[in-house]
Amino acid sequence: MKALSLEFFKAGLDAADPSLAVRRNLSYSNDRLNLALADGGMRSGHWRKIHLIAFGKAAVAMAAAAQAVIPAEQLTQPGLLVTTVENAAPLPNVELMTAGHPLPDRNGLAAAEKIAARLQAAQSRELVLLLISGGASALLPYPVAGVGLSDKIATTQLLLHSGADIGQINCVRKHLSLLKGGGMTKLAAPADLHALILSDVIGDDLSAIASGPSVADPSSYADAIRVLDQTGIRPNTPPSVCEHLRKGAEGLCEETLKPGDPRLAQASYTLVGSNGLSVAAAARSAEQAGFVTRIYHQQLTGEARKLATAWAGQVQTESDPFNLPEAWIAGGESTVTVTGRGRGGRNQEFALAFAIAAEAYDWPYNWVFLSAGTDGRDGPTDAAGAIVDAQTLPRIRAAGIDPAAALRDNDAYTALAAADALLKTRATGTNVADIQILLLSPFSAYPPY
């Protein structure tokens, strides 16, 4: 059962393969670059120069795929590439830069400055080709005047620990940045711009993916202030951040790029991969293995431990032991409000909370639950997530650890490590949020395979 859950998870990862995603939407023929568009159409042109800029956890693979399609003489040398240390790999004709994630760092600021300079150097009849993947918001901090990098890092830290969802976090980020919220499109004008986007945001809101560097942003300074208030972090937010947001709300600072701005006429995009596509691929793999499969949820968001408890409750109500095996698949990105002192991530909390809830129901069948990040990293740990079953909690207790106490202390990592339940994949080279897989099977038989 654990091996099968891993196989289905891998099918989801394969669907988000960044190289294939780029190649499906990019071609070159008759001295023209052809770009698939979001509406199913095609954008084609013979640009004098093509500026290749890739950023995110899948930047290396996406850039390599683009280089394989576009003739080298068409590309401005070197291309610019920013990714995390664990996803870095050598690539010819690019300047490879690594930066911090999930918290920004000075390496990211230096990379952002180089990208901004390249964007401003782009001219009319040239194309800026952006390759965007998960993690890009943290990798490219470029604070507005008056807000230092340390203050932006502190604000990001507060948001990550507050239980704020990715949309709320990025709303604040956009209004503290010169690149996010359409900032790259502003800087690149009058050049043309196209973005190939591998989405790590549930629902694929383009203004939230990587904090929307190339698209219009409907949010406002007032919305960013509201996030600080709703999450309760405003009293602890650095004064420079609060002051900038206040000035913006009063119309004293330039807003992010808004719908209808004429500079958007030269910008386009293609969504090349997403969490929904990966969830569907995992479900197909389960069906092929003989499971009765259902999509539990395609946009699973909220507090991880509450989501886990609710899911186990629905299984208790709806699963039929006589019709097993079943596979329940979900995708999304949960959140964790950190109040304890332990280690872990949202997927580890999700898995531990699910195991606690399932044990209380004492189900009359085998079960296995996997929750993992598609990027291979769950929070500030070396695990992608965890795989738990009915034996996980007994193993944790045998190691002298109270599972419920560990969950309360946000110490899922220690508890799950004691039960050998952590899932470690290393960096996967992609990022389309999280996948959860629940398998149910009778005690008397294993699922057909």
Side-chain angles (χ1 to χ4, degrees):
M1 292 267 281
K2 288 185 176 180
L4 286 171
S5 70
L6 280 169
E7 182 170 324
F8 305 155
F9 177 62
K10 184 178 183 301
L13 289 180
D14 290 345
D17 181 280
S19 178
L20 294 177
V22 169
R23 288 174 178 268
R24 283 194 298 264
N25 294 279
L26 197 67
S27 63
Y28 194 91
S29 60
N30 299 323
D31 294 326
R32 301 180 71 84
L33 180 64
N34 306 305
L35 303 156
L37 296 178
D39 61 5
M42 186 73 69
R43 184 179 188 182
S44 181
H46 178 64
W47 288 279
R48 295 185 302 182
K49 291 182 181 178
I50 299 173
H51 303 273
L52 182 64
I53 301 175
F55 45 95
K57 295 182 180 180
V60 173
M62 294 181 79
Q67 285 183 332
V69 172
I70 305 170
E73 59 270 19
Q74 289 294 109
L75 294 169
T76 301
Q77 305 293 351
L80 299 179
L81 192 158
V82 188
T83 191
T84 58
V85 172
E86 57 267 32
N87 284 293
L91 195 65
N93 301 320
V94 300
E95 181 176 357
L96 174 64
M97 298 167 280
T98 59
H101 183 279
L103 293 177
D105 64 11
R106 295 205 172 275
N107 289 338
L109 175 59
E113 290 172 342
K114 287 188 177 183
I115 287 176
R118 180 66 62 84
L119 291 169
Q120 290 175 308
Q123 301 295 314
S124 178
R125 296 174 59 199
E126 296 178 359
L127 174 71
V128 173
L129 181 61
L130 301 180
L131 308 177
I132 303 173
S133 55
S137 288
L139 290 170
L140 290 177
Y142 199 7
V144 294
V147 176
L149 180 61
S150 61
D151 285 347
K152 191 168 184 182
I153 292 172
T155 303
T156 302
Q157 183 87 63
L158 288 168
L159 288 164
L160 289 171
H161 284 188
S162 72
D165 63 35
I166 190 64
Q168 292 175 309
I169 293 171
N170 286 349
C171 174
V172 176
R173 282 170 163 167
K174 282 183 283 191
H175 287 88
L176 300 176
S177 173
L178 295 172
L179 293 184
K180 300 174 175 66
M184 289 192 178
T185 295
K186 287 182 180 180
L187 292 175
D192 291 334
L193 182 145
H194 185 83
L196 299 179
I197 302 170
L198 189 64
S199 171
D200 65 333
V201 172
I202 305 310
D204 302 327
D205 177 0
L206 294 171
S207 68
I209 302 167
S211 298
S214 67
V215 299
D217 173 38
S219 71
S220 65
Y221 280 102
D223 292 328
I225 293 172
R226 196 171 298 115
V227 170
L228 301 186
D229 289 335
Q230 290 173 342
T231 56
I233 67 171
R234 189 174 181 181
N236 298 318
T237 301
S240 67
V241 171
C242 293
E243 178 66 7
H244 175 75
L245 295 180
R246 180 192 66 79
K247 287 181 177 179
E250 293 176 0
L252 302 177
C253 300
E254 184 181 1
E255 255 290 4
T256 51
L257 190 67
K258 297 305 177 196
D261 190 293
R263 288 169 289 192
L264 287 168
Q266 292 175 265
S268 55
Y269 72 90
T270 313
L271 186 67
V272 299
S274 69
N275 184 258
L277 294 174
S278 289
V279 168
R284 285 194 300 272
S285 182
E287 289 173 357
Q288 291 166 1
F291 284 82
V292 176
T293 303
R294 70 166 80 186
I295 303 296
Y296 172 67
H297 208 298
Q298 287 187 305
Q299 297 185 21
L300 201 58
T301 59
E303 194 75 23
R305 62 185 70 178
K306 292 180 180 179
L307 293 171
T309 301
W311 190 341
Q314 190 165 339
V315 172
Q316 174 70 10
T317 302
E318 297 183 12
S319 281
D320 184 348
F322 298 102
N323 288 327
L324 298 181
E326 291 182 4
W328 298 43
I329 316 290
E333 187 167 281
S334 61
T335 56
V336 172
T337 301
V338 178
T339 57
R341 298 170 297 173
R343 294 180 66 203
R346 60 181 181 260
N347 289 288
Q348 293 162 60
E349 287 224 358
F350 205 128
L352 182 58
F354 190 93
I356 291 171
E359 183 183 62
Y361 290 121
D362 192 23
W363 289 330
Y365 37 74
N366 283 309
W367 63 270
V368 166
F369 182 78
L370 177 154
S371 183
T374 55
D375 62 351
R377 182 174 180 179
D378 187 32
T381 74
D382 60 351
I387 307 178
V388 297
D389 60 17
Q391 301 306 312
T392 300
L393 298 189
R395 292 192 189 102
I396 292 173
R397 295 188 184 103
I401 299 171
D402 178 353
L407 186 62
R408 287 194 298 271
D409 197 34
N410 299 117
D411 200 21
Y413 184 95
T414 300
L416 293 165
D420 194 26
L422 292 171
L423 172 57
K424 297 184 179 182
T425 64
R426 299 186 181 180
T428 63
T430 191
N431 184 19
V432 290
D434 304 333
I435 295 176
Q436 286 83 28
I437 299 170
L438 171 63
L439 304 183
L440 311 172
S441 177
F443 283 121
S444 59
Y446 288 99
Y449 182 61

